[in-house]
Amino acid sequence: MTLPPLPDDAIVLRAEVADWRDAVRAAGHALARSGATMPGYADRMIDVLEEFGAYIVIAPGLALAHARPGPDVRRSGLSVVTLAEPVAFGHPHNDPVRVVLGLAVSSAEEHVASVADLANVFNERDATDRIADAATPAEVRRVLRVAGEGRPATDAAGAPS
Amino acid sequence: MRIVAVCGVGVGTSAILKGNAERALDRLGLTADVTASDLAGVREAAADAQVVLTSTELADRVREALGRTWAEIIEVENYFDVEEIGRKLDASLG
C-alpha cells in the first residue's frame, strides 16, 4: 500500500461548487486542511489545468487534480471531493465530473507508485460512482482501500475537533 | 520495444497510463519497456520509442513537442479502460 492515508479532514462529501476551479480549489483546501500541503498548492493544481487543459479528467466523471512536487508539499497526501452537482471541466468524453481526487507528492518516484495504486482501484468500473454516492468518509476509504490516519496519533482518542 | 506515456506534468496521469498500458500489453502477450514522461521531456524520452501514449486532450501538444518522429502517437480517452488501450496498442503494434 503506497497510497497516502485519507483522514476525514481530506474528504468533502457533496460539495456545492460553481465550476471546475471551485472543485479543484476544494480538493486543494482539503489537502491543506489535512496538513499535506500549503494552501498555495490549490492554485498550482488550477495552473496545470489552465496550461494543459482538462486531460486530468482521466475517466468518466473522475478528475485527478495534481501538480508537480514543490516546496508547498509538506508530505504526500490525497484528498477526495464529491460534488453535489456534477460540473464540466471541458473534457470531450469524460465530463461531467462527479469526483475530484487531489494528489500531492513530495517526489516524482514516489508519485508513480502511488498513482499505480489508484489505477488498481479505478480499473473497477463502478469505483467512481461508489465514491460519488458515498455518504460517509469511511465508505470513500473503503472504495479507495486506504487508511484514515497516517500520522502518529497525537489525537488518537478521536475527540471531535 | 519502447513505449512512452505522456502527461502534462509527468507525475500523475502518465503514471496511470503507464500502469494500464503494462496491463494491456500483458493481456496481449506483448512485452515492452513503458516509461512515464512529462510534455517538456517527451522529445528526449521518445527518441527511440515506437509508441507514445497520451490523452486526446494533449495529443496536439505532444505532436508539437515531438516534431518529426518515427513514433506513433496513440490517443487514449479513458485511462482506466484497459481494453481500449489494448485495442489501440494491438492495432499499432500487431
Side-chain angles (χ1 to χ4, degrees):
Chain A
M1 176 57 66
T2 54
L3 278 174
L6 188 67
D8 286 4
D9 274 354
I11 301 175
V12 182
L13 299 180
R14 305 195 60 77
E16 308 266 353
V17 299
D19 54 23
W20 69 261
R21 271 188 189 78
D22 252 9
V24 173
R25 210 168 277 127
H29 279 317
L31 281 169
R33 196 169 51 222
S34 71
T37 68
M38 322 274 234
Y41 186 76
D43 288 330
R44 290 212 295 123
M45 296 200 293
I46 290 172
D47 289 347
V48 168
L49 269 132
E50 282 179 338
E51 184 176 358
F52 298 111
Y55 82 95
I56 68 151
V57 186
I58 50 179
L62 177 70
L64 176 63
H66 63 289
R68 287 189 172 85
D72 50 4
V73 178
R74 291 185 162 118
R75 55 181 161 75
S76 296
L78 188 64
S79 69
V80 173
V81 175
T82 68
L83 303 179
E85 297 293 334
V87 297
F89 272 56
H91 192 283
H93 309 289
N94 297 334
D95 267 346
V97 169
R98 301 180 70 199
V99 175
V100 182
L101 302 179
L103 187 66
V105 289
S106 39
S107 79
E109 298 73 38
E110 176 189 26
H111 199 119
V112 170
S114 298
V115 176
D117 275 5
L118 280 180
N120 282 330
V121 171
F122 287 99
N123 283 337
E124 288 168 27
R125 281 172 186 278
D126 64 347
T128 301
D129 287 338
R130 280 159 59 212
I131 293 172
D133 296 337
T136 65
E139 276 178 56
V140 173
R141 281 191 287 267
R142 214 152 35 234
V143 178
L144 287 171
R145 299 178 213 135
V146 293
E149 291 300 330
R151 279 169 290 176
T154 47
D155 51 357
S161 51
Chain B
M1 177 163 54
R2 289 233 314 128
I3 296 174
V4 179
V6 187
C7 76
V9 297
V11 286
T13 41
S14 57
I16 287 180
L17 201 48
K18 167 182 149 67
N20 281 339
E22 285 167 346
R23 264 188 203 96
L25 288 165
D26 207 38
R27 287 189 196 172
L28 293 169
L30 300 170
T31 52
D33 174 27
V34 188
T35 54
S37 169
D38 67 354
L39 205 46
V42 67
R43 195 182 173 117
E44 193 181 334
D48 58 348
Q50 279 74 46
V51 170
V52 174
L53 282 174
T54 191
S55 70
T56 309
E57 285 291 272
L58 284 179
D60 286 344
R61 302 280 296 270
V62 170
R63 280 193 194 92
E64 198 182 313
L66 281 174
R68 283 170 56 101
T69 177
W70 294 106
E72 181 176 354
I73 297 167
I74 296 181
E75 302 176 16
V76 176
E77 287 174 18
N78 179 345
Y79 279 33
F80 293 108
D81 189 343
V82 179
E83 270 172 44
E84 178 197 343
I85 297 170
R87 199 168 54 242
K88 289 175 174 174
L89 280 174
D90 196 31
S92 170
L93 303 169

